[in-house]
Amino acid sequence: GENVEQHPSTLSVQEGDSAVIKCTYSDSASNYFPWYKQELGKRPQLIIDIRSNVGEKKDQRIAVTLNKTAKHFSLHITETQPEDSAVYFCAARGGGTSYGKLTFGQGTILTVHP
Amino acid sequence: DVKVTQSSRYLVKRTGEKVFLECVQDMDHENMFWYRQDPGLGLRLIYFSYDVKMKEKGDIPEGYSVSREKKERFSLILESASTNQTSMYLCASMPNYGYTFGSGTRLTVV
C-alpha cells in the first residue's frame, strides 16, 4: 500500500519567515495530495490540495508543489504569522480502487514565534 | 457546509469493555472513514466504508470492527478495549476529493 513520509517533525520559525514542509510517497499511481492544518484541540482542516496533473498551486500565502518523478510534494508558507502555529499533515490518495482513502504523513508541529 | 458529528468528545472505558464510537454525517456521502491519531504517527486508517453495509479494512484493523446500517451513520466498535487503544479517534466523510473530519473522540482505556 501507499506510504507517506513527512519531514521535519517539528519546525520553529520567526514571524515573517517562510516555512517549508516536505513529503514523499511510494505509490506512483497516487493522484491527489491534500494538506491539513490541525490547531490545538480542533479537527484537521483542509487548507490546500493538488492533483497529479498539476505541478504547483497557490492560495494567498500558502503554496504546494508536486514532483511526480521524484514522488515528493511540499507545502510552502510565506510571511508566517503566529496563527499559522499548528500541526500540519500531508496525505496521498493511491491509484486504483482506493474508495478515496488517504494515507497521511506523521505530521509537522509548526511554531511561529512573534 | 458538511457536518460530521462524533457523539462523544471524551470517553473513559475499562479494559475488556465493548466500546462504540458513533459518527454521523448530514450530506448523504457514500465514503466514510475511521482513523486514529497518535503523536508522531500521524493519522492511521482503521476501517472505511463506501456504501451501506459495505466495509473495508484499513491499515490497522486489529481489535476493531465497524457497522454501517444507514448511509449517514458509521460506527467504530472496540470489541474488547485494551490500554493500547487509548487514542484520539477521528471520523471523516468525503464530500468530493478532500475529507471533512469530525471533532474527534479522545478515548482513554484504563
Side-chain angles (χ1 to χ4, degrees):
Chain A
E2 175 68 277
N3 184 50
V4 177
E5 296 287 333
Q6 182 173 346
H7 298 281
S9 56
T10 60
L11 181 58
S12 185
V13 299
Q14 288 297 127
E15 183 175 1
D17 286 351
S18 294
V20 180
I21 303 170
K22 299 183 179 183
C23 290
T24 59
Y25 61 98
S26 60
D27 183 357
S28 56
S30 288
N31 53 26
Y32 173 68
F33 307 91
W35 286 87
Y36 288 84
K37 174 184 180 183
Q38 187 178 30
E39 296 174 352
L40 193 63
K42 297 193 174 178
R43 70 192 76 192
Q45 301 264 17
L46 178 69
I47 55 170
I48 195 167
D49 56 10
I50 191 168
R51 299 184 200 180
S52 58
N53 59 348
V54 175
E56 184 173 356
K57 185 176 176 182
K58 222 174 171 182
D59 183 3
Q60 299 183 346
R61 294 187 299 108
I62 59 173
V64 57
T65 58
L66 172 64
N67 183 327
K68 282 196 301 182
T69 304
K71 290 190 281 187
H72 68 70
F73 56 113
S74 300
L75 178 72
H76 305 254
I77 306 174
T78 58
E79 300 171 25
T80 54
Q81 300 166 3
E83 51 265 39
D84 294 329
S85 296
V87 182
Y88 291 80
F89 293 98
C90 64
R93 174 164 293 148
T97 310
S98 66
Y99 297 108
K101 64 177 180 176
L102 292 172
T103 300
F104 286 83
Q106 296 85 349
T108 297
I109 302 171
L110 173 64
T111 304
V112 181
H113 299 281
Chain B
D1 262 0
V2 177
K3 217 173 179 181
V4 180
T5 303
Q6 292 183 235
S7 53
S8 305
R9 284 301 302 269
Y10 300 95
L11 274 180
V12 180
K13 296 292 181 180
R14 294 196 180 277
T15 301
E17 274 193 81
K18 192 169 186 175
V19 181
F20 293 84
L21 303 184
E22 305 287 340
C23 176
V24 177
Q25 50 100 353
D26 65 352
M27 288 296 290
D28 204 36
H29 298 143
E30 292 178 343
N31 297 358
M32 296 183 74
F33 308 84
W34 275 106
Y35 287 82
R36 65 178 279 178
Q37 181 179 6
D38 301 287
L41 298 177
L43 282 70
R44 294 178 292 164
L45 181 63
I46 305 171
Y47 265 97
F48 64 101
S49 169
Y50 52 91
D51 205 346
V52 174
K53 297 192 187 294
M54 306 303 286
K55 58 189 178 186
E56 291 276 343
K57 292 180 181 178
D59 299 316
I60 52 164
E62 297 78 19
Y64 304 94
S65 63
V66 289
S67 171
R68 188 134 183 233
E69 296 296 319
K70 292 185 178 181
K71 202 170 197 179
E72 67 269 19
R73 186 180 298 270
F74 189 34
S75 302
L76 179 69
I77 304 158
L78 286 65
E79 299 291 343
S80 176
S82 64
T83 53
N84 63 12
Q85 292 178 309
T86 291
S87 187
M88 170 67 83
Y89 290 88
L90 287 164
C91 172
S93 171
M94 195 174 87
N96 38 56
Y97 270 75
Y99 288 172
T100 297
F101 282 96
S103 54
T105 297
R106 183 162 293 284
L107 173 67
T108 302
V109 182
V110 297

